[in-house]
Amino acid sequence: MDKLSAVKAGHSASSLDPKIDAHVQPCAFDIKLGMPEENIGDMPAQSLAVCNAEHKHSPVNPNGCRSHTWRRWLVLGSALLLSVWGINEMRSVLTIEQVTFVQYLFLLLFGLTFSWITVAFTGSIVGFFLVVRQRRAIPTRLTAKLMGRTAVLMPTYNEAPEQIFSSIEVMASAIGKLGEGNAFDWFVISDTTDPEIILAEEAGFHLLRQRMGKTVNVYYRRRPKNSARKAGNVGDFCRRWGSNYDHLLVLDADSLMEADTLIELARRMEADPDTGLIQTIPQLINGTTLMARLQQFATCVYGPVVGTGLAWWTDKEGNFWGHNAIIRREAFMSAAGLPDLKGPPPFGGHILSHDFVEAALIRRAGWSVIIASDLGGSYEECPPSMTDLAIRDRRWCQGNLQHSRVITAKGLHWVSRMHLLTGVMSYLASPLWLLLIMVGLGLSLQAEYIRPEYFANEFSFFPSWPTMDAARALSLFIFTMVILFTPKTLGFISYLIDTKSRKRAGGFIVLTLSFMLEVIMSALIAPIMMLIHSGAVMSILIGQDSGWNPQRRGDGSLPIKYLIYRHRWHMTFGVFLTVAAYFNSLALLAWLSPAIAGMLLSVPLSMLTGSWRLGAVLKKMHLLRTPDETQRPAIRQSMDETVLIYHEAIKASPDLVELVSDPHWYALHLAFIDRVPARPLGQVNAVEATATMKINEATTISEAVSYLTKQEQALVLATPELFKALSRLSAQ
């Protein structure tokens, strides 16, 4: 009888190993433990240098995999025309007899940044009309009974366990009530490295199993080594258990989805055998700080317009944002295995922003990738402060800049290349804007302090006067602001003209005040984020790796000393711009004042936007209100109640000493441990060696635990031999 079978049958772990001390007594379980039986499958790493056409998917419905070309001509063609017009206007503004290098540089930077915002402008116009039509139409949903199996994956890395297991319970329960519970299996695939959170995860999973009984198939697995991060975590599941399922529905640790949305995604997959991936557009929720509420309001009001426009013109060449999406298992395992990039991080090694690349590879293999902009009920949370946003964006920045090495891969669709370019430009845009400001400052200084040559070298009766078309410059600036703010304005208008949305967002006055507050705060925060992203790009270019840090949620408050340290260079740069502009002209200082204000006020802005108290005040005033705060969805109400139950249970979970000493928890943990690959001969794990030595030198369990570092404790929890060795020590 193997270990897992013995535990299922009610035997204690001690009966499986005669070396375990007698203090471990038998403990019975009436619920199934462990993962399902493995079904090993292949998920080969794809080549970026070669595209094998023989392995491409042959469409069942060839016309169903084709996109509407005219949509691209409309959106991208219009954006191109606007870009050409804007660049030509700027050239006319700068034109003099002899154009200087600084002016050429300014024109180049303007062209790059201006072209970047025109695509969002034209796409949002289309998205506006589609959103207005969708809100007035009756949603159409498929009704066929699900025939396939879907594995719902919840990857986690040092996240709050009560959030994870309560969300699974409410989603699984809601699906069960709709009669499709048998079509979904639920997996928490953990990469957690903090031993305290590991024990909390096991306690939370144990409670979930007790509460759900045998009505839902739910499983928990923690990898002993979290190689390749989230992509490696999902890849490990696919190779070992993925072949048991038709689809994978990937969530994040903070994800929550309505049951009918989950079921509709699976039905759409079954209805279209050529679809490889369907991505929803998540809505941010549970914002408690001002920063979180600003992001929440923006994604709710402006997001549908931008997202729907993007979904419309990308058509079958949509994108993947890493979570809240369903993937055809066959397409993912056969076409989306990620290669390691040559060289060390930050540009080499594992691909961090794996989602864009996986979508591009799936599309390269002949499968459709679709953004389901018409599906609501897809939720996630957001960072609570600028500091937390910066930490998350640093990792995303590194991953997106890696796309520069993927964008030239053989066989990619040109729209997929545009998605990858978007990933790169989403962070390169910040240093480009910064350079544009600096070069513009240089132009002003050149005009103020460098003596112009009124007469050229050739003989002439008339001087060559330097000219700049001020009226044209002003009109171009206004037009640029219109393009920049149109997506927000259209999102705001789409809410105003829809009675239901307007009322649920607080009514005309509250919605208008919320819109004005979001625009003002975003304008102040934007220059700070520009400097943060510019710093991130610079650190990557000099070879610094981002690491992998868990995301904070809830209150974003931080000590004032820490905020001063984090924003010291942002304030310094604001002072520099102020002085440089002041000694040039008051007019230049006035033009730069919006950017300068954000930089100089970076510390108080960071403190206020990360404050839970200020967020609560604004919520009480109904500012930045989103419709779900007026009429809270049933699944979120259930989540609020359920998470408290898990929070209390996890608070009472055992520490490592109690886990080893208590027979119930001891046997439970042994059943949870994932298999450990055999150690190659001659290769010694330094952490394992030191943990073994410390356990051997201790006389009691508590003494040994006090010797072990957190990294060593996590290894002990993942290694049966070390865990059993710890249990053999005296409990006193």
Side-chain angles (χ1 to χ4, degrees):
M1 182 182 297
D2 61 20
K3 175 189 69 178
L4 182 56
S5 299
V7 172
K8 290 179 182 178
H11 296 283
S12 73
S14 61
S15 65
L16 310 177
D17 190 340
K19 298 178 181 179
I20 297 176
D21 283 346
H23 73 271
V24 180
Q25 299 299 322
C27 175
F29 295 89
D30 58 359
I31 54 174
K32 181 173 59 175
L33 295 174
M35 293 286 284
E37 184 177 350
E38 292 188 15
N39 186 358
I40 303 300
D42 191 24
M43 188 175 177
Q46 301 299 305
S47 172
L48 301 180
V50 178
C51 176
N52 193 337
E54 296 179 0
H55 294 163
K56 290 186 69 173
H57 167 69
S58 298
V60 177
N61 179 12
N63 292 329
C65 280
R66 294 175 183 171
S67 296
H68 297 81
T69 305
W70 66 272
R71 296 183 181 182
R72 281 82 187 270
W73 281 105
L74 179 63
V75 173
L76 300 182
S78 300
L80 179 62
L81 291 176
L82 286 173
S83 299
V84 171
W85 179 86
I87 294 169
N88 185 63
E89 283 295 290
M90 179 56 74
R91 184 193 61 80
S92 301
V93 168
L94 297 174
T95 295
I96 56 175
E97 289 297 322
Q98 291 183 343
V99 181
T100 66
F101 170 76
V102 177
Q103 288 171 315
Y104 276 125
L105 183 58
F106 185 86
L107 182 62
L108 173 63
L109 292 170
F110 174 82
L112 290 173
T113 52
F114 185 81
S115 301
W116 169 245
I117 62 176
T118 56
V119 177
F121 169 77
T122 55
S124 65
I125 293 175
V126 174
F128 169 77
F129 291 104
L130 293 175
V131 165
V132 171
R133 186 179 68 182
Q134 284 177 7
R135 288 176 181 165
R136 293 177 178 175
I138 299 174
T140 57
R141 296 291 182 262
L142 301 175
T143 57
K145 185 73 176 176
L146 290 176
M147 304 302 294
R149 303 284 312 285
T150 298
V152 184
L153 306 183
M154 181 81 82
T156 178
Y157 176 73
N158 295 324
E159 299 277 0
E162 60 269 23
Q163 176 88 13
I164 296 166
F165 295 107
S166 56
S167 64
I168 289 177
E169 178 176 329
V170 298
M171 287 187 287
S173 298
I175 288 178
K177 292 176 182 177
L178 295 178
E180 295 288 6
N182 292 331
F184 296 85
D185 285 358
W186 303 78
F187 293 86
V188 177
I189 50 177
S190 174
D191 264 351
T192 295
T193 56
D194 188 316
E196 294 181 2
I197 301 179
I198 292 170
L199 298 180
E201 285 178 358
E202 293 184 0
F205 176 69
H206 184 41
L207 177 62
L208 175 63
R209 275 285 183 82
Q210 288 179 321
R211 287 174 58 83
M212 300 301 293
K214 298 179 180 179
T215 60
V216 174
N217 292 326
V218 58
Y219 306 94
Y220 171 84
R221 186 275 285 136
R222 185 177 76 87
R223 287 198 298 170
K225 184 178 180 182
N226 49 14
S227 58
R229 307 184 186 186
K230 181 180 176 181
N233 193 3
V234 174
D236 174 76
F237 173 87
C238 289
R239 293 181 182 92
R240 296 169 65 185
W241 297 283
S243 298
N244 293 325
Y245 298 93
D246 301 288
H247 315 119
L248 309 171
L249 207 155
V250 184
L251 304 174
D252 254 0
D254 60 349
S255 294
L256 183 67
M257 295 183 72
E258 298 280 0
D260 57 353
T261 301
L262 291 164
I263 294 172
E264 179 67 15
L265 286 172
R267 284 174 176 164
R268 291 187 184 188
M269 268 292 180
E270 294 189 356
D272 185 358
D274 296 320
T275 297
L277 188 150
I278 305 176
Q279 172 70 63
T280 64
I281 300 180
Q283 177 187 331
L284 298 180
I285 58 171
N286 296 333
T288 55
T289 65
L290 173 57
M291 187 68 191
R293 291 185 64 77
L294 287 168
Q295 296 172 77
Q296 183 175 285
F297 180 83
T299 58
C300 182
V301 177
Y302 319 141
V305 166
V306 177
T308 302
L310 177 69
W312 183 79
W313 75 262
T314 58
D315 207 359
K316 304 297 182 179
E317 287 80 39
N319 208 355
F320 178 36
W321 300 319
H323 55 90
N324 292 32
I326 192 168
I327 311 170
R328 191 176 301 278
R329 189 269 311 161
E330 178 189 352
F332 190 68
M333 290 184 63
S334 65
L338 295 178
D340 286 345
L341 300 177
K342 292 182 179 179
F347 283 99
H350 303 307
I351 298 175
L352 298 188
S353 294
H354 55 91
D355 38 17
F356 281 39
V357 180
E358 289 161 346
L361 293 175
I362 289 173
R363 185 53 180 151
R364 181 177 78 167
W367 303 90
S368 298
V369 177
I370 299 169
I371 300 175
S373 60
D374 63 316
L375 286 182
S378 178
Y379 310 110
E380 65 172 327
E381 296 185 6
C382 55
S385 69
M386 276 195 283
T387 300
D388 293 287
L389 195 62
I391 293 172
R392 185 198 68 179
D393 281 5
R394 174 59 180 82
R395 183 177 71 252
W396 285 7
C397 178
Q398 180 173 326
N400 285 15
L401 291 186
Q402 285 180 317
H403 292 170
S404 61
R405 300 188 58 188
V406 181
I407 198 170
T408 57
K410 296 293 184 181
L412 297 186
H413 194 282
W414 69 269
V415 175
S416 297
R417 297 188 199 276
M418 280 201 65
H419 290 310
L420 294 170
L421 179 62
T422 298
V424 175
M425 281 298 296
S426 61
Y427 289 97
L428 281 186
S430 289
L432 290 176
W433 279 108
L434 180 59
L435 284 173
L436 184 65
I437 292 174
M438 296 302 296
V439 173
L441 181 62
L443 275 176
S444 299
L445 293 174
Q446 174 183 276
E448 183 71 18
Y449 295 109
I450 297 178
R451 180 179 175 183
E453 294 290 338
Y454 294 104
F455 291 91
N457 293 331
E458 295 81 9
F459 175 78
S460 174
F461 288 107
F462 303 101
S464 178
W465 301 104
T467 61
M468 181 173 287
D469 194 333
R472 179 170 279 179
L474 180 60
S475 64
L476 180 58
F477 171 78
I478 294 172
F479 186 71
T480 303
M481 291 299 101
V482 168
I483 287 181
L484 190 62
F485 284 99
T486 288
K488 290 190 175 189
T489 305
L490 291 178
F492 171 61
I493 293 173
S494 73
Y495 257 64
L496 281 182
I497 63 178
D498 183 72
T499 304
K500 183 179 178 181
S501 298
R502 183 178 67 249
K503 288 182 177 179
R504 292 177 62 190
F508 177 82
I509 295 177
V510 170
L511 180 60
T512 303
L513 291 175
S514 297
F515 172 72
M516 294 171 61
L517 176 61
E518 195 280 332
V519 169
I520 293 170
M521 292 303 301
S522 295
L524 290 172
I525 292 170
I528 305 173
M529 297 308 299
M530 175 188 69
L531 294 177
I532 289 173
H533 289 168
S534 298
V537 171
M538 182 61 65
S539 69
I540 291 167
L541 292 178
I542 63 176
Q544 294 181 358
D545 189 17
S546 67
W548 192 16
N549 299 307
Q551 183 173 308
R552 280 202 319 160
R553 310 188 196 279
D555 190 6
S557 300
L558 290 166
I560 185 69
K561 290 183 179 180
Y562 179 79
L563 293 177
I564 292 174
Y565 175 79
R566 290 284 304 189
H567 295 290
R568 63 195 187 283
W569 293 116
H570 308 150
M571 293 185 292
T572 302
F573 191 75
V575 171
F576 164 75
L577 279 183
T578 302
V579 173
Y582 175 79
F583 282 105
N584 180 272
S585 69
L586 292 178
L588 179 61
L589 181 61
W591 277 95
L592 291 177
S593 59
I596 290 173
M599 296 173 190
L600 294 178
L601 298 173
S602 56
V603 171
L605 277 173
S606 188
M607 182 171 59
L608 291 173
T609 55
S611 169
W612 177 87
R613 293 180 181 232
L614 180 58
V617 170
L618 291 173
K619 185 175 182 178
K620 190 175 182 179
M621 296 171 63
H622 298 164
L623 289 176
L624 302 174
R625 170 181 279 193
T626 54
D628 63 283
E629 291 181 337
T630 302
Q631 186 176 346
R632 200 164 181 81
I635 195 168
R636 292 188 57 195
Q637 294 180 23
S638 180
M639 177 73 176
D640 293 341
E641 298 166 0
T642 308
V643 74
L644 296 176
I645 299 172
Y646 281 87
H647 180 71
E648 292 302 316
I650 288 172
K651 276 173 58 178
S653 63
D655 59 20
L656 182 52
V657 175
E658 294 171 324
L659 181 80
V660 176
S661 305
D662 184 275
H664 172 85
W665 290 110
Y666 177 90
L668 190 67
H669 176 74
L670 276 180
F672 285 152
I673 296 179
D674 193 20
R675 62 176 171 85
V676 180
R679 178 175 61 83
L681 294 176
Q683 295 186 15
V684 178
N685 185 317
V687 178
E688 182 178 356
T690 55
T692 302
M693 185 178 297
K694 290 176 180 179
I695 292 173
N696 290 337
E697 291 180 351
T699 56
T700 66
I701 295 173
S702 58
E703 181 184 6
V705 171
S706 69
Y707 293 161
L708 298 170
T709 65
K710 282 197 169 186
Q711 186 180 16
E712 292 163 352
Q713 289 180 24
L715 182 64
V716 168
L717 288 169
T719 310
E721 291 75 14
L722 288 177
F723 186 70
K724 293 173 184 177
L726 183 61
S727 73
R728 298 187 192 108
L729 300 176
S730 172
Q732 301 300 323

